[in-house]
Amino acid sequence: MSKKRIVVLTGAGVSAESGIKTFRDSGGLWEEYDIMDVATPEAWERNRDLVMEFYNQRRKQLYEVEPNAAHYALAELEKDYDVRIITQNVDDLHERAGSTHVMHLHGELKKVRSSVDENLVYTLDGWELKPGDKCEKGSQLRPHIVWFGEPVHMIPAAAELSATADIYVIIGTSLNVYPAAGLVDYVRPGTPVYLIDPAEPGAIHIPKFTFIQEKAGTGTKKLVEEYL
Ligand code: NAD
């Protein structure tokens, strides 16, 4: 018999216990930086050095942190389920924990791309992207990140994947950032949906879901032990 498919949508909260700050929690990144200064195409045009520095710091930190219990539990689930992860995160902690099907909606921190041809994507050697680092077409390399105001090319594929779920799990996302937050709309009616987050969900427009009000590590363990 083929394995049941679990589609997991993760956000910044799944990596919080690894020591990577979320954006909206208190002490989150938004308090230190203005989003308009670091995560928009306009910011890139205005002050490339600041944008590069912001992502260099995030990338550097990524080399210093480890996957946590939630990432490992999701990787472990592949023994019994066909697990597909859709993540809003730009870190690589799901992959490092051993998950083999990870779709990154908003790009990947360890990758950079051409600023004239978005199909030219490279894995950066080390953590630092420098002014003067160029693609093969001679343009400055930029972080491989989907900035606010840029299209999320992976959404149709993620929506299609969401519609194939036998079980849908949402971990550590405030469901504030569209279009990612709209993916739950594609889950087939009647599919069990679990939401793991220490905070009450905001606007979630699915009629029925099980809320596991826990941090990602303990919440994912509880999901596996009590609900699956
Ligand atoms: P968000 O900051 O809007 O929401 C974070 C959610 O995580 C909140 O609901 C919060 O209650 C929850 N949370 C906090 N601690 C948690 C824990 N220990 N366990 C489980 N949940 C916890 O983040 P978002 O919804 O992912 O959207 C913000 C955007 O920021 C995303 O697009 C993402 O690309 C980006 N981002 C990525 C990273 C990363 O790659 N690790 C980090 C910060 C932000």
Side-chain angles (χ1 to χ4, degrees):
M1 217 179 76
S2 65
K3 291 176 178 173
K4 272 193 180 175
R5 175 168 290 181
I6 304 185
V7 178
V8 188
L9 173 65
T10 65
V14 79
S15 297
E17 286 160 273
S18 292
I20 301 181
K21 286 180 182 175
T22 62
F23 270 162
R24 286 180 183 73
D25 292 325
S26 79
L29 291 168
W30 290 148
E31 288 180 10
E32 290 164 41
Y33 289 89
D34 185 330
I35 159 201
M36 300 313 282
D37 291 337
V38 291
T40 63
E42 293 75 23
W44 176 249
E45 290 312 319
R46 229 177 16 240
N47 193 345
R48 290 189 171 186
D49 288 355
L50 179 71
V51 175
M52 266 189 260
E53 174 60 15
F54 174 77
Y55 286 101
N56 281 344
Q57 290 310 319
R58 308 273 80 71
R59 203 177 294 111
K60 191 175 181 197
Q61 182 195 30
L62 190 48
Y63 282 96
E64 292 157 7
V65 300
E66 299 290 337
N68 64 52
H71 299 107
Y72 285 118
L74 293 173
E76 181 82 9
L77 264 187
E78 290 192 12
K79 283 189 186 146
D80 300 312
Y81 295 90
D82 170 16
V83 182
R84 306 297 170 113
I85 294 174
I86 303 170
T87 188
Q88 298 170 81
N89 294 345
V90 296
D91 65 54
D92 62 349
L93 296 179
H94 284 302
E95 289 91 338
R96 277 159 58 189
S99 285
T100 55
H101 295 284
V102 185
M103 183 188 285
H104 285 271
L105 290 179
H106 296 157
E108 291 172 74
L109 208 41
K110 287 188 177 170
K111 294 184 179 170
V112 292
R113 70 168 184 254
S114 161
S115 45
V116 293
D117 181 350
E118 63 184 337
N119 295 314
L120 295 176
V121 179
Y122 311 84
T123 298
L124 194 63
D125 201 9
W127 59 270
E128 198 176 13
L129 177 65
K130 299 189 201 78
D133 288 346
K134 296 197 170 128
C135 75
E136 64 211 58
K137 290 189 176 170
S139 83
Q140 172 68 44
L141 289 168
R142 57 162 271 182
H144 182 50
I145 301 285
V146 179
W147 285 324
F148 288 94
E150 293 187 318
V152 187
H153 296 306
M154 299 305 287
I155 283 293
E160 216 170 283
L161 189 57
S162 296
T164 66
D166 297 310
I167 299 166
Y168 205 77
V169 181
I170 303 167
I171 309 176
T173 168
S174 60
L175 296 169
N176 268 324
V177 177
Y178 275 83
L183 288 174
V184 285
D185 297 338
Y186 293 89
V187 177
R188 288 171 298 181
T191 306
V193 176
Y194 298 93
L195 183 69
I196 302 171
D197 200 298
E200 290 278 351
I204 176 165
H205 21 81
I206 33 176
K208 200 164 154 258
F209 60 91
T210 303
F211 180 36
I212 302 174
Q213 190 163 14
E214 300 266 0
K215 287 184 174 180
T218 47
T220 308
K221 192 162 173 263
K222 196 166 176 177
L223 170 80
V224 176
E225 287 173 358
E226 295 180 25
Y227 295 97
L228 295 183

